[in-house]
């Protein structure tokens, strides 16, 4: 979190570097047309960043723009504009924020104008909204669309036939579209080089995330975690700058572990670690700091989260593999968290609760996102049953400020932490016997 308070000299060099990397990327986007660079709009889960680097194009991620608009308190206005245009209240708020931003001049988070796309690259990984979103953008821009259909892991596996199906599309649909738009020939050796760089940075990210197993955890793997995954899940994977960033971050975290320090929060170092949580679901962006404060004020740290896996499950062993360039892209796309079925998600979260020695599992169910929200109550109940830790359930949204009721959410989080406390003192009724107890849930402001 890049606030003045938490800039503690050497320890936050990675933060300053990330800021510079992002600013540089948006600068490059703002001059892309004069510089003769091609621009590709694409999505975060299942992104083909290494392939984009191989063709020397610049990516724009509409979800990132939406979440940045949320953090900058602009998404509410953008959403209203989109609703005036006829987009229903039920539509994912990311889409409406993006459409509203577009209508307001398409000014990106750094205040610079975003260039129009030369290609809309739709990698479909489990979210039907992606299709509709790019249908809308297609009406706005006269550029080609390339679609990569990645099969959902409905049976809990990505089979060789599914992999071949994706690879075939890369060969016959995606790469030819890149060649057409850029006028360049596909260079597999170049792709391999970027994949090699990706794997090195991925190793370091895994170490950073695994540091949550320490007591105290030196990181917050949800609120802090969204910063750690930023470069990896977006334009920087497969570059030297990502390698530098993750090396630096890993060193900073190692230092914190050695000194037995907890995470840095927007208000400085966190106090004593009292509760260790696993969190399922994306964060709320419009009240991000307020939401985080509700946790660290109570001594609650998130030691592992599913949201930091939307752009890949590196901690479960996946690495981009330069020896299988197209196959590895297929595996990557298929393995993103929202492309996993519910039993796979449950197994993963159970593993986190055990390996990170969590005191509880908290679900943040966002109104916008069915890819995440479907089945979350079942996930929570199943993990309670398997591990014995209590579950908590709060409801917010991604970037629609109308769905964040601060008092309500705070109240529920406090009640949930009290429940954990009672469990410690032996007053907690174990989940199988507590069927009659209500879920600790926070409704929205509606
Ligand atoms: S529904 Fe969820 S996964 Fe789909 S675009 Fe919206 S936030 Fe992303």
């Amino acid at each position: 979190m890049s606030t003045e308070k938490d800039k503690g000299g050497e320890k936050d060099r990675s933060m300053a570097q990330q800021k510079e990397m992002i600013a540089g990327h948006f600068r490059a986007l703002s001059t892309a047309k004069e510089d003769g660079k091609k621009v590709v709009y694409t999505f975060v889960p299942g992104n083909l960043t290494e392939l984009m680097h191989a063709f020397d194009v610049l990516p724009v991620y509409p979800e990132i723009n939406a979440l940045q608009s949320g953090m900058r308190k602009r998404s509410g206005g953008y959403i209203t504009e989109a609703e005036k245009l006829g987009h229903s209240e039920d539509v994912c708020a990311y889409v409406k924020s993006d459409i509203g931003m577009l209508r307001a001049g398409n000014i990106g988070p750094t205040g610079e104008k975003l260039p129009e796309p030369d290609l809309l690259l739709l990698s479909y990984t489990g979210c039907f909204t992606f299709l509709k979103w790019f249908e809308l953008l297609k009406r706005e821009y006269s550029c080609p669309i390339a679609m990569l259909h990645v099969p959902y892991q409905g049976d809990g596996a990505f089979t060789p036939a599914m992999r071949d199906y994706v690879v075939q599309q890369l060969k016959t649909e995606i790469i030819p579209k890149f060649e057409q738009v850029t006028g360049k020939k596909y260079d597999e050796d170049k792709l391999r080089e970027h994949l090699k760089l990706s794997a090195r940075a991925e190793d370091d990210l895994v170490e950073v995330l695994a540091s949550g197993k320490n007591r105290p955890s030196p990181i917050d793997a949800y609120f802090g975690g969204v910063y750690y995954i930023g470069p990896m899940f977006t334009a920087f994977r497969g570059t030297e700058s990502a390698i530098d960033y993750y090396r630096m971050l890993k060193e900073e975290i190692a230092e914190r572990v050695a000194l037995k320090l907890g995470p840095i929060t927007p208000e400085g170092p966190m106090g004593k670690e009292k509760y260790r949580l696993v969190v399922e679901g994306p964060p709320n962006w419009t009240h991000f700091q307020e939401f985080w404060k509700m946790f660290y004020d109570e001594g609650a740290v998130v030691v592992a989260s599913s949201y930091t896996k939307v752009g890949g499950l590196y901690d479960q062993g996946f690495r981009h593999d330069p020896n299988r360039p197209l196959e590895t892209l297929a595996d990557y796309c298929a393995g993103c968290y929202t492309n996993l079925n519910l039993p796979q998600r449950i197994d993963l979260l159970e593993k986190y609760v055990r390996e990170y020695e969590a005191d509880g599992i908290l679900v943040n169910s966002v109104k916008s996102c069915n890819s995440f929200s479907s089945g979350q109550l079942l996930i929570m109940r199943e993990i309670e049953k398997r591990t014995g830790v209590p579950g908590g359930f709060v409801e917010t949204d991604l970037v629609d400020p109308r769905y964040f009721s601060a008092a309500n959410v705070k109240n529920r989080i406090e009640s949930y932490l009290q429940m954990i406390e009672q469990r410690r003192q032996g007053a907690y009724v174990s989940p199988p016997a507590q069927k009659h107890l209500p879920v600790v849930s926070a409704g929205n402001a509606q």
Side-chain angles (χ1 to χ4, degrees):
M1 176 62 59
S2 191
T3 65
E4 286 309 311
K5 278 184 186 167
D6 62 26
K7 280 184 184 159
E10 281 300 290
K11 278 196 172 54
D12 292 304
R13 280 187 307 135
S14 65
M15 192 70 72
Q17 181 166 338
Q18 181 176 147
K19 243 184 143 176
E20 238 171 68
M21 287 159 72
I22 292 170
H25 181 66
F26 280 102
R27 254 194 324 271
L29 282 172
S30 69
T31 60
K33 299 293 168 184
E34 298 133 70
D35 300 340
K37 285 268 193 181
K38 299 295 179 190
V39 175
V40 174
Y41 282 22
T42 195
F43 293 110
V44 170
N47 65 64
L48 301 173
T49 298
E50 294 82 0
L51 192 62
M52 290 192 268
H53 289 315
F55 278 100
D56 202 21
V57 300
L58 290 171
V60 169
Y61 303 91
E63 307 123 295
I64 303 290
N65 295 334
L67 78 84
Q68 292 277 3
S69 298
M71 287 182 115
R72 287 169 169 74
K73 309 277 185 206
R74 291 191 191 133
S75 57
Y78 293 155
I79 289 168
T80 308
E81 279 313 302
E83 288 180 355
K84 277 190 205 151
L85 294 170
H87 298 284
S88 134
E89 204 178 310
D90 291 335
V91 170
C92 169
Y94 271 180
V95 181
K96 286 185 289 186
S97 177
D98 187 45
I99 297 292
M101 185 178 98
L102 190 104
R103 288 301 160 101
N106 223 16
I107 305 299
T110 53
E112 289 148 307
K113 189 168 167 57
L114 292 170
E116 294 198 357
D118 297 291
L119 176 69
L120 295 169
L121 172 60
L122 166 56
S123 42
Y124 176 87
T125 50
C127 174
F128 186 67
T129 303
F130 284 166
L131 295 173
K132 299 316 235 179
W133 195 339
F134 269 16
E135 271 177 23
L136 293 169
L137 293 194
K138 176 73 184 140
R139 288 188 206 155
E140 305 284 339
Y141 303 113
S142 54
C143 71
I145 284 199
M147 173 165 162
L148 180 70
H149 175 233
V150 179
Y152 181 65
Q153 293 203 37
D155 293 329
F158 191 57
T159 64
M162 289 154 94
R163 182 176 301 109
D164 289 349
Y165 170 65
V166 176
V167 167
Q168 204 49 32
Q169 293 174 72
L170 289 169
K171 286 180 180 166
T172 60
E173 164 73 6
I174 306 298
I175 290 174
K177 280 269 169 61
F178 269 110
E179 289 182 327
Q180 177 200 326
V181 164
T182 62
K184 293 179 183 168
K185 280 301 285 174
Y186 169 56
D187 179 346
E188 195 151 274
D189 287 338
K190 205 170 169 196
L191 174 61
R192 285 180 206 277
E193 283 311 310
H194 288 294
L195 292 166
K196 222 183 275 175
L197 297 178
S198 293
R200 282 172 55 196
E202 287 158 4
D203 282 344
D204 285 346
L205 171 65
V206 168
E207 281 195 44
V208 168
L209 295 177
S211 71
K213 291 176 186 167
N214 289 282
R215 278 179 192 266
S217 170
I219 62 165
D220 184 287
Y222 187 54
F223 297 102
V226 300
Y227 292 93
Y228 304 149
I229 58 173
M232 183 65 77
F233 287 8
T234 60
F236 305 99
R237 201 177 63 238
T239 65
E240 292 285 354
S241 57
I243 291 181
D244 292 347
Y245 167 76
Y246 283 104
R247 191 189 304 121
M248 194 184 286
L249 178 64
K250 189 178 81 169
E251 286 167 8
E252 287 172 6
I253 303 293
E255 220 176 288
R256 299 189 71 72
V257 172
L259 296 169
K260 291 200 169 298
L261 296 174
I264 298 284
T265 75
E267 294 181 293
M270 190 178 134
K272 191 172 158 38
E273 174 184 297
K274 293 206 309 228
Y275 308 102
R276 297 168 64 82
L277 303 178
V278 168
V279 171
E280 148 68 19
N284 163 273
W285 301 109
T286 51
H287 299 72
F288 185 82
Q289 296 205 2
E290 196 178 348
F291 194 23
W292 189 355
K293 188 172 165 56
M294 292 174 192
F295 290 74
Y296 64 73
D297 273 356
E298 299 294 324
V301 63
V302 182
V303 288
S305 67
S306 54
Y307 186 68
T308 49
K309 316 297 158 15
V310 283
L313 271 75
Y314 301 110
D315 64 333
Q316 301 305 301
F318 174 80
R319 292 291 180 281
H320 281 92
D321 179 358
N323 298 316
R324 307 163 52 246
L326 297 184
E327 290 78 5
T328 203
L329 291 179
D331 289 352
Y332 166 70
C333 292
C336 293
Y337 184 75
T338 51
N339 206 48
L340 305 184
N341 71 11
L342 289 192
Q344 287 172 302
R345 296 183 201 190
I346 291 168
D347 288 346
L348 184 71
L349 289 162
E350 179 193 358
K351 204 167 162 189
Y352 287 159
V353 167
R354 294 188 193 284
E355 289 182 357
Y356 288 77
E357 297 177 345
D359 300 304
I361 167 124
L362 181 79
V363 175
N364 181 37
S365 187
V366 293
K367 176 189 171 290
S368 276
C369 182
N370 287 337
S371 296
F372 255 105
S373 305
S374 311
Q376 276 179 326
L377 202 53
L378 179 140
I379 289 176
M380 189 193 80
R381 287 300 192 209
E382 185 61 24
I383 290 167
E384 282 184 323
K385 197 162 79 186
R386 290 187 190 182
T387 64
V389 302
F393 199 88
V394 295
E395 290 170 282
T396 68
D397 190 48
L398 295 163
V399 292
D400 191 334
R402 295 170 296 186
Y403 290 89
F404 191 90
S405 168
N408 216 353
V409 174
K410 189 172 191 297
N411 185 16
R412 295 303 180 172
I413 289 172
E414 284 172 5
S415 308
Y416 174 56
L417 296 175
Q418 276 167 22
M419 193 207 305
I420 293 177
E421 198 56 56
Q422 284 169 3
R423 177 183 183 276
R424 282 183 181 149
Q425 289 163 19
Y428 177 72
V429 184
S430 71
Q434 64 157 12
K435 287 194 191 87
H436 57 288
L437 292 180
V439 173
V440 176
S441 80
N444 56 47
Q446 300 300 294

